[in-house]
Amino acid sequence: MFTDVKKAFLWLGFLAFFSVLNEMVFNVVLPDIAKDLGISPSLANWVNTSFMLSFAIGSITYGTISDKYGVKKLLVFGLLVYSGGSLLGVLAHSNFFAVIAARFIQGVGASAVPALIMVIVARYVKLEDRGKAFGIIGSLVAMGEGIGPALGGTVAHYVQWPFLFLIPMLTLFTIPFFLKELPNESTKGERMDIWGLALLSCGIVTFTIYTTQYNWLYLAISFALFAGCALYIHKVEQPFIEPRLFLNRKFILGVLTGCILLGTVAGCISMIPYMMRDVHQLSASMIGWVIFPGTMSVMLFGIVGGSLVDKRGTTFVLWLGSLFIVASFLIISLFADRTPRLVSGMLILMFGGLSFVKTVISTSVADALGPKEIGAGMGFLSFACFLAEGLGMAIVGGLLTKHILEYPLLSTIQNAKAYLYSNLLLVFIVTILIGATIYTVAYSRRGKRI
């Protein structure tokens, strides 16, 4: 137990805030990075994609090995790696591959925070204080998502984007507290499935490279690695991913729905800065403030979404959230070359819909799992959705670079620079509707609420 619960909440929330902040802070400066390093949007988006991939893989890995190595050691290790990646990014910011490596290393370290915070609260916070702990942490996470774009744009505009790498180093101040307060846990002898993790990770990375390079060799290699992983986890005694989860139809379709919807929205969010720069000639600072109202609205919509799920059911709330997202995409698509204020207003609707979707997916997937499957199943959901967000960013970067959708389609668009973005939003609409339909097929029951 923590001797000072209030101080523990403060430091845990501080960590949660900065782990999420770093997901968002680079988003608005991607056009600046592309310009400064002389690279295409497909490559620039790897600044975020590399972070999300390692963050996803790490988030499930730390939770899996926490019983073996202890929370204190893993948390300190993660924070040191997080800061090490940040230092590399600052020192080698003029080299694109060094920046990608720095972001990947940051993701490896930062992923320890959300994975281990849940373990810390469950193990060391008193039962009567846990609700308060999760509430504070959740609020600070939402705040980090909201402040990230505005902070990133402001720093890039008034200083330089490489200094964004320094922000996560503030987490080093939490190490003395956790070294003092967390007990030295005895290690256990559970075996970690390194080979399963390696096969899946390499398959994901090569598939992501395919989505930006469109080289069929990468696609073939990724499928071979996925097939190898599928065969391997059925043979090993303690697999990285429990095979029986894939026999649960509701679980798989719920995860698939989450991946489609969250990945599509993440791709749209990564596209907005390019659209604001190309069509409206906004600076990074102004782009951050265009996105800011939408990200801050997540807190309010999250509360409303949870209440609606209890009253109206998950299918209703998922379609309501999906229609919010579709409406925002459609209006931006129709008027992409009009005032940025319209885009900012529609992003409030989009982030609100996203909040509804996240609430439904978490609730539905949890309900589809048995008591002994909750830990592994929810961990896999988080892992899959983080990966989908990274893939969404990579795919959109590739489409922006290839310009295959750059032609006049909607008569409302007068600026030729807006054609690509307007048409891409129409593709997003179709994808969102597909995801919502999959959920309906899997979870809707006549006369019942899931």
Side-chain angles (χ1 to χ4, degrees):
M1 296 289 182
F2 288 115
T3 55
D4 189 335
V5 175
K6 290 184 178 179
K7 188 181 290 186
F9 290 170
L10 174 65
W11 288 117
L12 289 171
F14 184 80
L15 282 182
F17 173 84
F18 278 99
S19 69
V20 176
L21 179 75
N22 207 43
E23 292 179 40
M24 303 295 296
V25 77
F26 275 88
N27 195 56
V28 298
V29 301
L30 293 177
D32 289 339
I33 294 174
K35 180 181 178 182
D36 291 351
L37 300 182
I39 56 178
S40 65
S42 64
L43 290 178
N45 273 21
W46 270 92
V47 172
N48 273 352
T49 298
S50 59
F51 179 87
M52 294 302 298
L53 291 179
S54 60
F55 193 90
I57 295 167
S59 65
I60 194 170
T61 303
Y62 282 109
T64 302
I65 64 177
S66 61
D67 286 337
K68 181 175 182 180
Y69 295 104
V71 171
K72 178 192 284 190
K73 292 178 182 177
L74 290 177
L75 186 61
V76 172
F77 170 79
L79 294 178
L80 291 175
V81 171
Y82 194 12
S83 297
S86 301
L87 186 60
L88 173 62
V90 173
L91 297 177
H93 66 271
S94 60
N95 184 286
F96 170 69
F97 293 104
V99 170
I100 296 302
R103 288 291 281 165
F104 188 88
I105 294 170
Q106 278 191 321
V108 171
S111 59
V113 175
L116 297 178
I117 278 181
M118 298 304 171
V119 178
I120 289 172
V121 172
R123 288 184 187 175
Y124 303 118
V125 175
K126 295 179 181 178
L127 183 61
E128 59 268 26
D129 294 319
R130 287 178 190 169
K132 185 189 299 182
F134 283 123
I136 293 173
I137 292 167
S139 297
L140 288 170
V141 165
M143 189 182 300
E145 291 178 338
I147 293 175
L151 179 62
T154 301
V155 170
H157 182 72
Y158 291 104
V159 193
Q160 285 183 326
W161 65 263
F163 285 91
L164 294 174
F165 278 107
L166 292 177
I167 296 174
M169 298 186 76
L170 293 172
T171 59
L172 291 175
F173 289 109
T174 67
I175 290 180
F177 171 78
F178 289 110
L179 284 176
K180 177 184 176 182
E181 293 291 333
L182 288 174
N184 293 312
E185 300 166 308
S186 58
T187 59
K188 300 179 181 180
E190 285 88 351
R191 175 178 174 272
M192 178 63 186
D193 180 16
I194 298 297
W195 285 108
L197 174 62
L199 286 169
L200 182 62
S201 302
C202 292
I204 290 166
V205 170
T206 52
F207 180 77
T208 308
I209 293 173
Y210 165 74
T211 64
T212 58
Q213 301 297 317
Y214 297 104
N215 186 324
W216 290 97
L217 177 61
Y218 290 116
L219 184 63
I221 293 173
S222 68
F223 282 167
L225 289 168
F226 288 143
C229 180
L231 292 173
Y232 178 82
I233 63 174
H234 281 86
K235 294 181 179 180
V236 69
E237 290 184 6
Q238 296 178 333
F240 171 61
I241 298 175
E242 183 56 55
R244 71 172 180 270
L245 288 175
F246 295 97
L247 301 178
N248 186 331
R249 178 175 173 272
K250 276 193 173 183
F251 169 77
I252 290 299
L253 293 179
V255 171
L256 178 61
T257 301
C259 289
I260 292 173
L261 299 182
L262 270 61
T264 302
V265 173
C268 177
I269 295 170
S270 72
M271 182 199 76
I272 293 296
Y274 293 106
M275 186 175 78
M276 291 294 100
R277 177 64 60 85
D278 291 346
V279 180
H280 301 285
Q281 290 78 51
L282 296 187
S283 65
S285 176
M286 292 304 298
I287 294 170
W289 289 107
V290 167
I291 299 175
F292 177 75
T295 52
M296 289 303 292
S297 70
V298 170
M299 289 185 282
L300 173 63
F301 280 99
I303 297 172
V304 174
S307 177
L308 278 175
V309 165
D310 292 335
K311 294 179 179 179
R312 300 298 302 271
T314 55
T315 302
F316 173 83
V317 176
L318 182 117
W319 271 103
L320 182 62
S322 298
L323 291 176
F324 279 179
I325 297 171
V326 166
S328 67
F329 287 173
L330 180 60
I331 293 173
I332 297 174
S333 177
L334 288 169
F335 308 107
D337 54 355
R338 308 296 171 85
T339 172
R341 292 180 181 178
L342 176 66
V343 175
S344 186
M346 289 303 100
L347 288 181
I348 295 176
L349 197 61
M350 184 197 75
F351 277 103
L354 176 64
S355 183
F356 283 5
V357 166
K358 285 183 175 181
T359 300
V360 169
I361 294 300
S362 298
T363 302
S364 300
V365 170
D367 287 348
L369 296 167
K372 295 182 179 180
E373 299 174 326
I374 288 289
M378 296 306 289
F380 183 76
L381 172 66
S382 176
F383 166 74
C385 288
F386 278 131
L387 284 178
E389 290 175 0
L391 282 171
M393 295 175 188
I395 292 170
V396 168
L399 290 172
L400 291 177
T401 300
K402 296 296 182 181
H403 296 276
I404 57 176
L405 295 175
E406 193 171 13
Y407 53 86
L409 181 61
L410 298 177
S411 60
T412 54
I413 302 297
Q414 304 300 319
N415 187 340
K417 291 184 177 180
Y419 292 156
L420 174 60
Y421 303 104
S422 175
N423 295 340
L424 194 51
L425 283 159
L426 296 179
V427 175
F428 293 161
I429 290 173
V430 174
T431 308
I432 292 294
L433 293 175
I434 290 173
T437 301
I438 291 173
Y439 179 88
T440 303
V441 171
Y443 285 88
S444 182
R445 291 290 184 273
R446 187 177 303 172
K448 292 185 179 182
R449 180 177 65 84
I450 300 298

